[in-house]
Structures are given as C-alpha cells and as structure tokens.
Amino acid sequence: MILHQISPYIRVAMDNIVERPWIIQDRVLFDYELLYIMEGKVIVTIEGDVYEGERGDIFLFRPKQKHKIVKVEGQRLRQPHIHFDFFYAEDSDKVKVSFRPLEEVSDDEYSWFRNDIIDEMPIPLSSHLRLKNPILIEKMIMDIIYEYETKMPYYEFKVKGLFIQLWIQLLRENHWNRNPHLETNMHALMHTKQYLMHNTNRKISLDEISKMSGISKHYLVRLFQKAFGMSPIQYHQLMRVHAARQMIQYTTDPLTIIAEKMGFPSIHAFSRFFKTVEGTAPSFYRSSKN
C-alpha cells in the first residue's frame, strides 16, 4: 500500500491573511498544496470545476493541476496552507512554488513536477473537502506551521510526523463524506468492536453480534467491512489470536491451558485456528520467547 511508503517533505507551511482584493490566476504547481479556509470565502476553480470555499473547507491542489483562486470581496481571508512532497527526493530543496501556467514552465523546471500518487491511495482525497471536524484539522495544520516556522531542533522530523497524522485524518474525513451511512451507524459499530475485543475467550456467532448491535446480519457485515476493512467475525478472530499470543509470550501457562482459557475444546482445535488466522503455530511464539 502506497501509504506505508510515505515520507513527506514539507516545502512551505505558513498562515496567510489577506485583507485586500486578491486573486491567483490560472497556474500549476510542481508539488502538492493543502489550502485551509480559516476565515472568509474564496471561489476556487480546479480543472474547470468551480467550488465555493468557506470556513472549515480544505482544498487539495495536485502537481500539474490547473487551478485559480479568487477571494470573495468584503471579507478578510485567512488561509493557512502547506506545500509538500509525499516523498523526499534529491531535488526537494531546490523546487520552488509555482505561480505560472503550464505553458510558461521552462524545460529545466519541468523535471520538478512530482509524480501524482493521489489516485493510488485506498480512497483518493477529493479536490474539495467540507470538513465535519474542522477544529481538529485546523489545530493539526497550525501545529505544522508552528513547527516549520520556529524551526526548533529536529523540527524536520516533527513536521513529517504531524503531516502524516493530518493526512490520515483527512482520509478519514473523506471516507465519512463518501459513506455517510457509516457515520450514522458509527456508535453501533464501535460498540460492536468493543464487544468483540472483550469477548476473546469464546467463539461468537454472527447472530449474537447482530442481536447485540441491533443491526441485521447482512447489513452489519457490509457496514463493518466498509468501516474497518474486514468482517466482524474476521475481526474477532484477530482479537482472539492477539489475546492468545499475549498469553503465550508473557505467561508460563502450558499451551493446553491457554487453549482452554481461550474457549477451545482441545489443543488441536486451538492450533488449527491459530495457524489459519496467524499463519504459524502457537508454539512459534513460545519458542521465540526463550
């Protein structure tokens, strides 16, 4: 998965306030930019699509993506923004922020365009996102800007970590926006998840989970799969293996006793289950400890 490979480079992180009329004419960027509307309103055009941006909105501009930004008159505009690469490259320090259209980019500068990997994300981030939790995102953006501007020792590593947290939160917001039915059922889904986590010492049926959550079996499976990437039964199996692995590694109980504590009728049934879910025998974790 492309997310596992990300090692971001933050080129610019700044808070910008505009009082007067203001416009950025059609341009393309060499890198990516996240633009957050903290105050005021803007009209943003991205590859011909027009968006009205207001407080709590965030825009993503991608490499070579033609866009234009116009401040709505009569209001102060505050627009914290971050220019970044998803991966550090040898030329990352040399690349500038572009304010020109594609046809004015020189041949030498053309090599500065970053590879656009957004579409390789599990759920590509939209060009315009109306945030459901803008205060959290706003704080994360301002923390990045503070670290970037104060440049305390090791700030480069701090902003990398903060940016990854920000990006994951944006992906989650985007996921909720695309799947509103998940948000309306999230309390029940999280309750289900907690129930499965705290009942690892026995096998649980889908009928039991459905009755506990108050959601029909087939709909529950679809919701759970969409929210967490696996079915409720698969999640429960992972939690059972995790609990068993902890006992194997950090207690001296024989495997037969651990199998009994985990609700298995025999060590053979426990071993088969463990191998199916974990891909290895339970004894592997006991021998690796010694």
Side-chain angles (χ1 to χ4, degrees):
M1 184 187 296
I2 196 73
L3 288 176
H4 293 313
Q5 304 169 21
I6 289 175
S7 179
Y9 172 81
I10 308 303
R11 180 164 292 104
V12 173
M14 64 180 294
D15 187 11
N16 180 247
I17 297 175
V18 182
E19 303 277 2
R20 54 182 173 75
W22 177 81
I23 181 172
I24 289 183
Q25 295 290 356
D26 288 342
R27 67 164 179 176
V28 294
L29 297 174
F30 301 116
D31 57 359
Y32 297 88
E33 180 185 5
L34 283 174
L35 173 68
Y36 175 68
I37 308 302
M38 195 167 176
E39 294 181 37
K41 294 183 178 181
V42 292
I43 303 297
V44 177
T45 305
I46 303 175
E47 296 290 354
D49 294 324
V50 180
Y51 305 93
E52 295 183 4
E54 58 187 44
R55 170 166 171 73
D57 286 5
I58 199 159
F59 292 92
L60 169 67
F61 304 120
R62 297 157 67 162
K64 287 187 184 178
Q65 193 176 57
K66 181 181 176 182
H67 63 276
K68 176 182 179 180
I69 310 172
V70 180
K71 173 183 174 291
V72 174
E73 293 186 16
Q75 300 186 48
R76 185 173 91 150
L77 175 64
R78 186 173 183 183
Q79 46 162 6
H81 55 280
I82 301 170
H83 284 266
F84 64 96
D85 297 344
F86 277 112
F87 309 102
Y88 178 79
E90 291 183 1
D91 65 348
S92 287
D93 297 335
K94 301 175 183 177
V95 174
K96 309 299 181 185
V97 174
S98 171
F99 289 90
R100 290 174 292 160
L102 183 62
E103 55 268 22
E104 293 182 12
V105 174
S106 70
D107 292 339
D108 290 339
E109 292 172 333
Y110 211 85
S111 65
W112 289 352
F113 283 112
R114 309 290 95 173
N115 292 326
D116 188 2
I117 65 166
I118 294 295
D119 292 332
E120 298 178 45
M121 299 282 178
I123 302 177
L125 191 64
S126 304
S127 296
H128 173 233
L129 187 61
R130 182 146 290 169
L131 301 173
K132 295 182 180 298
N133 191 3
I135 299 303
L136 174 60
I137 298 293
E138 183 175 302
K139 182 181 185 306
M140 297 173 86
I141 291 173
M142 298 308 291
D143 284 347
I144 292 173
I145 292 172
Y146 174 80
E147 285 291 333
Y148 183 85
E149 291 184 340
T150 56
K151 291 182 168 51
M152 298 289 282
Y154 311 112
Y155 80 95
E156 301 96 335
F157 303 102
K158 183 70 175 290
V159 296
K160 280 178 183 284
L162 290 173
F163 181 85
I164 290 173
Q165 293 179 50
L166 170 64
W167 189 255
I168 294 302
Q169 187 61 36
L170 289 173
L171 291 180
R172 287 177 176 173
E173 288 259 1
N174 197 41
H175 187 59
W176 305 144
N177 279 356
R178 289 170 177 244
N179 300 279
H181 57 291
L182 290 181
E183 186 175 21
T184 57
N185 289 281
M186 189 50 64
H187 178 75
L189 288 172
M190 292 304 296
H191 182 60
T192 301
K193 207 174 183 184
Q194 290 293 321
Y195 184 81
L196 297 174
M197 289 175 63
H198 290 98
N199 287 276
T200 56
N201 62 334
R202 62 187 180 88
K203 186 176 181 179
I204 292 181
S205 69
L206 191 55
D207 285 326
E208 178 183 346
I209 302 169
S210 175
K211 184 177 180 180
M212 180 277 304
S213 66
I215 303 174
S216 69
K217 289 190 294 184
H218 299 301
Y219 191 45
L220 175 62
V221 171
R222 289 201 302 271
L223 284 175
F224 205 96
Q225 181 78 39
K226 194 71 175 178
F228 307 119
M230 65 186 74
S231 72
I233 297 300
Q234 288 172 321
Y235 180 76
H236 187 238
Q237 289 174 339
L238 286 178
M239 291 301 97
R240 292 189 81 188
V241 163
H242 175 75
R245 193 168 61 233
Q246 293 292 101
M247 283 192 279
I248 295 169
Q249 289 181 301
Y250 302 115
T251 75
T252 57
D253 290 346
L255 294 181
T256 52
I257 298 299
I258 294 175
E260 183 180 341
K261 287 182 177 180
M262 295 304 300
F264 290 90
S266 69
I267 183 62
H268 302 294
F270 174 58
S271 183
R272 283 197 304 270
F273 173 83
F274 204 97
K275 286 180 181 179
T276 299
V277 178
E278 186 76 354
T280 188
S283 58
F284 171 81
Y285 291 98
R286 176 57 53 83
S287 60
S288 64
K289 179 186 176 222
N290 298 331

